[in-house]
Amino acid sequence: MPTSEQYDAIIIGTGEAGKLMAWHLGSHGSRVIAIEKDALGGACPNVACLPSKNIVHSAKVASFFQRGAEFGMIHSEWHVDMAAVRAHKRKMVEAEAEVHLNNFKKSGAEFAMGFGKFTGPKTVQVDLNAGGTRTLTADKIFIDTGSRATVDPIPGLIEAHPLTHIGALELDTVPEHLLVIGGGYVGLELAQAIRRFGSRVTIVERNATLTHREDPDVSEAVQQLFQDEGIDVVTNATISSVEGLSGASVRLHLSNGAILAGSHILVASGRTPNTQNMGLDLVGVQTTPSGHIRVNDRLETTAPGIWAMGDCAGSPHFTHISLDDFRTVRDNLAGANRSIAGRQVPSCAFTDPELAHVGLSETEAKQQGIAYRLTKIPMLAVLRTHTLSETRGFIKALVAPDDRILGFTAFGTGVGELLPAVQLAMTKKLPYTAIRDLIISHPTLAEGLVSLFSAVPPLPK
Ligand SMILES: Cc1cc2nc3c(=O)[nH]c(=O)nc-3n(C[C@H](O)[C@H](O)[C@H](O)COP(=O)(O)OP(=O)(O)OC[C@H]3O[C@@H](n4cnc5c(N)ncnc54)[C@H](O)[C@@H]3O)c2cc1C
């Protein structure tokens, strides 16, 4: 029988919620240990949000090179050095890793590198990456094991060794022709970036449009952007089989008989929660049919003393939501009664231009029979976009009869930065006039909010 080490709290997975919980409890004097099988700090700083935005920004620089003459920059020759693009990204990721190590040190929270799994009540075994095991016990256990790219069970797909986002962010040469399976935000960001580095790119989407959950005007605008960037988009596509090896030569066979040939495949068609082989059933932690950990609106699992947070708990898959999961559990441990039900879920896809959204869409308002007034302006009406030569897109908002803002969607340069002002008004139930009447510095993108809310149609008499 291995001897067990007693802690106040164990955290399995050091994603956003997990590491914040470790640092919080550690700095408040608890004896706490976090277990991580891959990279300390979880997906966001290592293989997801931050490195992808770093690569997206390098691709933006490439697009400026392509557009140089427009700004009076004449360059005779330039080329993309993917190995240097990757080195630039790795440098940022390494700096983030350093920050994480320091935070563990400062907070007094311990960590162990290995795979964590339940072996009995209040007991977690770590299969250490370095070999051997440790057995840990604690009264409080937090699971934040995140999710991974789904590889659909399409004949030949696994055998083709497709790239996931992790491999795509580590490319050191530009693919000749990348086939992207999935037109969600991960697929779109990477498709556009890799296109801008010089690859041919084809996106294969099973739904009728890209960003199919957005309003039709948004999907159309996104589709137009991708067309203008020279990216082929195949919609309503069902892949029946895959041939070849990604990195060499691949062929996707579609159910309508069409064949798409390329050099690489990137799968970006969904996420699978990391909840397997963790002994959850041994301790009464139930999962849902989709494999997420079953939680209530306080993120308590079906086993007392065990919480789940972030992607693995089925929370919307964003780092800022995992952060809010942490805050919810932290506050409830301190005696609050916080719930995640009905919380605001803002999102921003870092395509160029960005697609930002919060609250109700027009489609949802219509489906739910919610009355609204629509205000919509082109980005061309925001003078800052003229100075940047980035006039594509529009912003729109839904305003209730009582003047509250119900929803906001923006497709335009830098529009992710417009979200918090609108979110604040929505959270505090302020009328739209609170934003309309602000004095906003000129010429900023945020000025667009004044124009947008000045264009709210009056209530019908
Ligand atoms: C390419 C890409 C770009 C993205 N961009 C954005 C963005 O711009 N903004 C945004 O908000 N979100 C973005 N996301 C989503 C975001 O990365 C995730 O929602 C977020 O990382 C989820 O955090 P989490 O707390 O659930 O855990 P994760 O960050 O997924 O971390 C979980 C950790 O647990 C570890 N783990 C799993 N099982 C075990 C085990 N049994 N034992 C020990 N360790 C284990 C994993 O190795 C991992 O490190 C992006 C995702 C991808 C793929």
Side-chain angles (χ1 to χ4, degrees):
M1 244 336 240
T3 47
S4 64
E5 303 167 64
Q6 175 74 41
Y7 284 86
D8 297 324
I10 298 169
I11 292 143
I12 311 178
T14 62
E16 183 75 0
K19 68 194 173 199
L20 292 174
M21 186 59 84
W23 299 339
H24 166 71
L25 294 176
S27 59
H28 284 78
S30 293
R31 184 159 191 240
V32 52
I33 185 162
I35 305 163
E36 173 55 57
K37 71 179 175 61
D38 287 336
L40 206 55
C44 173
N46 293 296
V47 292
C49 327
L50 299 188
S52 64
K53 267 32 103 180
N54 181 293
I55 293 289
V56 161
H57 187 67
S58 290
K60 174 84 178 177
V61 175
S63 81
F64 279 140
F65 269 88
Q66 282 146 8
R67 294 173 58 192
E70 183 186 335
F71 298 98
M73 303 296 148
I74 311 303
H75 46 79
S76 49
E77 269 183 36
W78 69 279
H79 70 278
V80 173
D81 176 350
M82 269 317 277
V85 169
R86 182 179 71 174
H88 175 70
K89 180 218 67 171
R90 283 184 174 176
K91 196 168 158 211
M92 184 205 72
V93 171
E94 280 158 21
E96 300 302 328
E98 206 48 45
V99 171
H100 281 79
L101 280 174
N102 281 336
N103 284 351
F104 271 96
K105 213 166 169 185
K106 267 195 312 210
S107 66
E110 295 174 35
F111 63 86
M113 298 305 294
F115 186 87
K117 62 185 184 206
F118 290 93
T119 49
K122 301 181 179 189
T123 307
V124 174
Q125 177 178 308
V126 191
D127 296 335
L128 295 163
N129 292 347
T133 60
R134 281 173 75 177
T135 302
L136 316 172
T137 57
D139 282 341
K140 294 190 182 75
I141 300 178
F142 305 92
I143 308 171
D144 178 34
T145 47
S147 63
R148 62 185 182 278
T150 302
V151 181
D152 290 319
I154 298 169
L157 182 55
I158 287 196
E159 293 77 6
H161 295 292
L163 295 166
T164 66
H165 58 287
I166 298 175
L169 294 169
E170 277 289 295
L171 286 169
D172 62 356
T173 53
V174 178
E176 189 189 315
H177 185 174
L178 178 69
L179 305 174
V180 180
I181 303 179
Y185 78 92
V186 172
L188 294 184
E189 289 177 8
L190 289 172
Q192 187 185 36
I194 291 171
R195 170 69 188 148
R196 287 178 164 190
F197 292 136
S199 175
R200 257 194 83 185
V201 173
T202 303
I203 301 176
V204 188
E205 165 59 48
R206 57 170 86 102
N207 293 290
T209 60
L210 297 178
T211 60
H212 69 281
R213 287 198 187 86
E214 301 289 342
D215 289 335
D217 55 349
V218 177
S219 298
E220 271 165 37
V222 172
Q223 196 117 348
Q224 186 62 52
L225 166 71
F226 277 69
Q227 199 175 309
D228 293 347
E229 297 252 341
I231 295 170
D232 294 324
V233 178
V234 182
T235 52
N236 285 319
T238 306
I239 302 168
S240 46
S241 66
V242 177
E243 263 183 278
L245 196 61
S246 178
S249 163
V250 279
R251 283 150 69 90
L252 305 184
H253 292 262
L254 305 190
S255 58
N256 65 3
I259 297 174
L260 301 173
S263 60
H264 294 66
I265 301 176
L266 166 63
V267 285
S269 55
R271 308 285 303 169
T272 301
N274 293 326
T275 53
Q276 300 76 25
N277 306 318
M278 289 183 59
L280 297 176
D281 47 338
L282 288 179
V283 290
V285 172
Q286 292 173 9
T287 52
T288 65
S290 59
H292 294 99
I293 294 174
R294 194 181 292 286
V295 289
N296 62 16
D297 66 346
R298 297 162 56 91
L299 298 160
E300 293 158 342
T301 70
T302 45
I306 303 179
W307 291 258
M309 306 175 286
D311 289 8
C312 71
S315 295
H317 288 15
F318 297 112
T319 294
H320 45 277
I321 294 298
S322 186
L323 161 70
D324 191 60
D325 283 0
F326 154 68
R327 295 192 298 209
T328 302
V329 175
R330 176 200 62 192
D331 294 354
N332 288 345
L333 286 173
N337 188 18
R338 277 185 66 164
S339 157
I340 57 165
R343 67 181 157 186
Q344 209 175 47
V345 181
S347 65
C348 183
F350 291 84
T351 47
D352 179 27
E354 295 169 4
L355 171 57
H357 177 80
V358 65
L360 273 188
S361 67
E362 278 190 82
T363 310
E364 288 164 341
K366 282 180 191 145
Q367 278 166 355
Q368 295 169 32
I370 295 173
Y372 67 89
R373 285 172 284 163
L374 177 70
T375 174
K376 180 173 175 181
I377 60 165
M379 285 304 281
L380 204 57
V382 184
L383 294 177
R384 178 65 174 154
T385 68
H386 299 201
T387 68
L388 299 170
S389 288
E390 304 269 359
T391 53
R392 184 189 288 269
F394 56 83
I395 42 181
K396 64 176 184 173
L398 276 57
V399 174
D402 67 0
D403 287 354
R404 276 179 308 118
I405 302 166
L406 299 171
F408 173 82
T409 304
F411 178 57
T413 191
V415 292
E417 309 297 337
L418 303 185
L419 282 172
V422 178
Q423 285 181 252
L424 187 63
M426 289 172 75
T427 310
K428 297 295 166 199
K429 299 188 172 28
L430 299 174
Y432 74 88
T433 49
I435 297 183
R436 183 197 66 188
D437 298 340
L438 284 173
I439 300 172
I440 291 185
S441 298
H442 172 75
T444 58
L445 291 170
E447 260 187 319
L449 294 175
V450 170
S451 310
L452 178 71
F453 289 113
S454 296
V456 175
L459 281 169
K461 296 234 162 75

